[in-house]
Amino acid sequence: MEFDFLAPLDTDLIIDINRQSSQHLSSKVVFHTQHDFPDITKVNIAIVGVLDNRGGLDETIDLDLSLVRKQLYSLFPGNWSRTIADLGDILPGNSLEDTYFAVQKVVSRLIKDKIIPIIIGGSQDLTYALYRGYDDLEQMVNLVSIDTKFDFGKEDGTIVADSYLSKIIVDEPNNLFNYSNIGYQTYYNSPEEIDLVEKLFFDAYRLGEVCNTISIAEPVFRDADLVSLDLNSVKSSDSGNFINFQPNGFNGKEICALSRYAGISDKVSCLGIFNQNNSKQEAALISQIIWYFIEGVHYRSNEYPFGSKENYIKYTVPFEEEDIVFFKSNKTERWWIEIPFFTNTHNKLKKNTLLPCTHDDYLAACNQEFPERWWKAQRKSIL
């Protein structure tokens, strides 16, 4: 029923894609065509287009994802074993809310079936629909947004690409546990919005901070369920987006590195790539962002909390009031910090008492400095 919302790929596009050699990615992807729909029970990663841009700042852009698909399927795959399917496109509904409903149902079904959806196209307000796709999964959601702005917008009840986060925070059921922004630029955000991020104990990393040490973003993705990528976070000289000109932002290498971090996370179950401008240059970038995400998925390590603590080295750092416990993986040398939850409050943290962190967090603790992410998680657990 949910897949009735999906329109097949254009026949001419399929013919074009099939002209690639057997070594290209196209030969390893099953497509939703006019006559055939992929066997969903055999799919691990699903690519879905959304052709609705009505929530964006420029509704006049007529979305066309054929350039992205041509670029993507002309790339060569890595040593990949997972089955990839292109399920086609969700067409604009009679209203924007109809499109949200369709996206929500498709995403919810895919995640339930342990399939990772990669949503491309459309304005970033579709992140709200992706978030609502988790409603039936009975879990709290950690959202990571790669964006120049926090997208709180105005409280006028209207969902647009720069105000969807307000809707996520306010609307019931409220399944949002944490929001993290990667790459915000201060001059695009009011002081009130920056203060609100602090008051809600959300995480935010400035563009310069991430570009200086991009590895600080890895633990953020390791704790994420949903990742939303605004293509306006990439500077125009690298994206080719001269419609909404961005003099500053991530370069192509950095945005692909962030995408790979998202893919390699054992927890990320959905990726959305939004606010494209239909240019050939940006299509090439999007295809490589997707490639790196899929590459990351193939290098997932299924570590704790999925594995055994026997595969980790435990480090205890004594503080005056309490000890802080760290775990280091023998396999990947990644770090986690233990977050105690409180039985007299809600149980949001009960399923995940370990918070991803960095080696620098451990070194800071050794110098008697409480890691900031540990402190924020503690505050959330007692609210």
Side-chain angles (χ1 to χ4, degrees):
M1 174 70 82
E2 295 89 347
F3 299 138
D4 291 342
F5 293 114
L6 295 164
L9 298 182
D10 185 76
T11 301
D12 290 338
L13 176 60
I14 293 291
I15 293 172
D16 230 9
I17 290 172
N18 286 337
R19 287 177 180 150
Q20 304 289 345
S21 75
S22 60
Q23 293 180 314
H24 287 90
L25 179 57
S26 57
S27 65
K28 297 186 178 296
V29 178
V30 287
F31 296 96
H32 179 194
T33 67
Q34 301 283 351
H35 308 290
D36 194 22
F37 190 85
D39 182 354
I40 210 70
T41 62
K42 298 179 180 178
V43 173
N44 305 114
I45 299 170
I47 296 170
V48 177
V50 183
L51 303 182
D52 197 331
N53 201 41
R54 284 176 287 182
L57 299 177
D58 190 353
E59 299 181 28
T60 61
I61 296 178
D62 188 16
L63 287 177
D64 181 4
L65 300 176
S66 59
L67 281 176
V68 176
R69 287 181 163 109
K70 287 178 183 178
Q71 291 277 358
L72 175 62
Y73 301 132
S74 68
L75 301 177
F76 293 97
N79 186 22
W80 298 347
S81 58
R82 289 173 171 80
T83 302
I84 304 168
D86 190 324
L87 301 184
D89 296 323
I90 295 175
L91 303 179
N94 291 330
S95 67
L96 194 52
E97 288 70 24
D98 291 336
T99 302
Y100 293 152
F101 179 81
V103 172
Q104 174 184 339
K105 291 300 180 183
V106 170
V107 167
S108 179
R109 169 67 187 278
L110 291 172
I111 296 175
K112 281 182 182 177
D113 290 344
K114 308 298 182 184
I115 299 169
I116 302 172
I118 301 174
I119 309 299
I120 56 176
S123 43
Q124 201 183 12
D125 54 295
L126 292 169
T127 303
Y128 175 77
L130 303 187
Y131 165 72
R132 291 270 73 106
Y134 288 83
D135 284 354
D136 298 332
L137 303 180
E138 298 182 356
Q139 69 170 77
M140 301 304 294
V141 178
N142 288 341
L143 166 64
V144 172
S145 176
I146 305 172
D147 202 343
T148 61
K149 304 175 183 178
F150 296 131
D151 294 326
F152 285 117
K154 297 179 180 179
E155 297 180 3
D156 58 2
T158 303
I159 309 173
V160 291
D162 62 354
S163 63
Y164 70 88
L165 186 58
S166 298
K167 190 75 171 174
I168 287 177
I169 293 172
V170 172
D171 275 12
E172 297 286 346
N174 193 328
N175 302 323
L176 182 69
F177 179 69
N178 191 43
Y179 165 77
S180 300
N181 176 286
I182 294 177
Y184 81 94
Q185 298 176 38
T186 306
Y187 38 75
Y188 286 140
N189 299 275
S190 69
E192 291 79 9
E193 290 175 314
I194 295 173
D195 289 343
L196 182 59
V197 168
E198 287 295 319
K199 289 177 182 177
L200 294 173
F201 305 108
F202 290 156
D203 301 310
Y205 300 82
R206 291 180 62 178
L207 174 67
E209 184 182 7
V210 181
C211 291
N212 185 52
T213 311
I214 199 163
S215 60
I216 65 171
E218 186 276 329
V220 182
F221 288 110
R222 211 185 324 155
D223 201 37
D225 300 290
L226 168 61
V227 176
S228 174
L229 192 161
D230 184 346
L231 288 164
N232 290 319
S233 65
V234 182
K235 58 184 177 181
S236 292
S237 59
D238 280 42
S239 71
N241 180 3
F242 297 105
I243 296 175
N244 298 311
F245 184 75
Q246 299 294 330
N248 291 301
F250 293 113
N251 62 33
K253 179 181 177 181
E254 291 161 347
I255 200 69
C256 286
L258 294 175
S259 182
R260 190 177 187 276
Y261 282 148
I264 218 168
S265 165
D266 292 314
K267 196 177 179 187
V268 169
S269 52
C270 183
L271 169 68
I273 304 173
F274 304 111
N275 290 344
Q276 72 170 77
N277 68 359
N278 277 352
S279 72
K280 188 174 183 180
Q281 295 91 333
E282 196 171 61
L285 177 64
I286 295 170
S287 68
Q288 292 180 22
I289 290 171
I290 296 171
W291 190 98
Y292 274 100
F293 178 80
I294 297 174
E295 171 86 349
V297 170
H298 280 81
Y299 281 94
R300 291 188 173 186
S301 55
N302 295 316
E303 289 188 310
Y304 194 84
F306 307 100
S308 167
K309 283 189 178 181
E310 295 175 359
N311 299 321
Y312 299 81
I313 301 174
K314 182 178 179 179
Y315 296 82
T316 302
V317 181
F319 277 74
E320 184 174 337
E321 295 182 355
E322 62 180 307
D323 294 343
I324 296 183
V325 178
F326 290 85
F327 289 92
K328 178 185 175 183
S329 166
N330 291 331
K331 184 177 182 181
T332 64
E333 298 188 349
R334 296 191 294 187
W335 289 77
W336 282 261
I337 187 170
E338 194 167 62
I339 308 296
F341 60 88
F342 302 91
T343 56
N344 63 332
T345 58
H346 65 67
N347 294 324
K348 287 182 179 179
L349 283 174
K350 209 166 192 179
K351 292 184 179 180
N352 183 18
T353 57
L354 289 187
L355 183 71
C357 66
T358 64
H359 182 223
D360 286 342
D361 289 323
Y362 168 70
L363 295 178
C366 290
N367 290 324
Q368 296 296 291
E369 299 175 14
F370 283 104
E372 185 177 359
R373 296 190 73 225
W374 178 89
W375 180 80
K376 287 183 177 179
Q378 284 272 51
R379 295 296 301 168
K380 282 196 189 79
S381 70
I382 60 176
L383 286 178

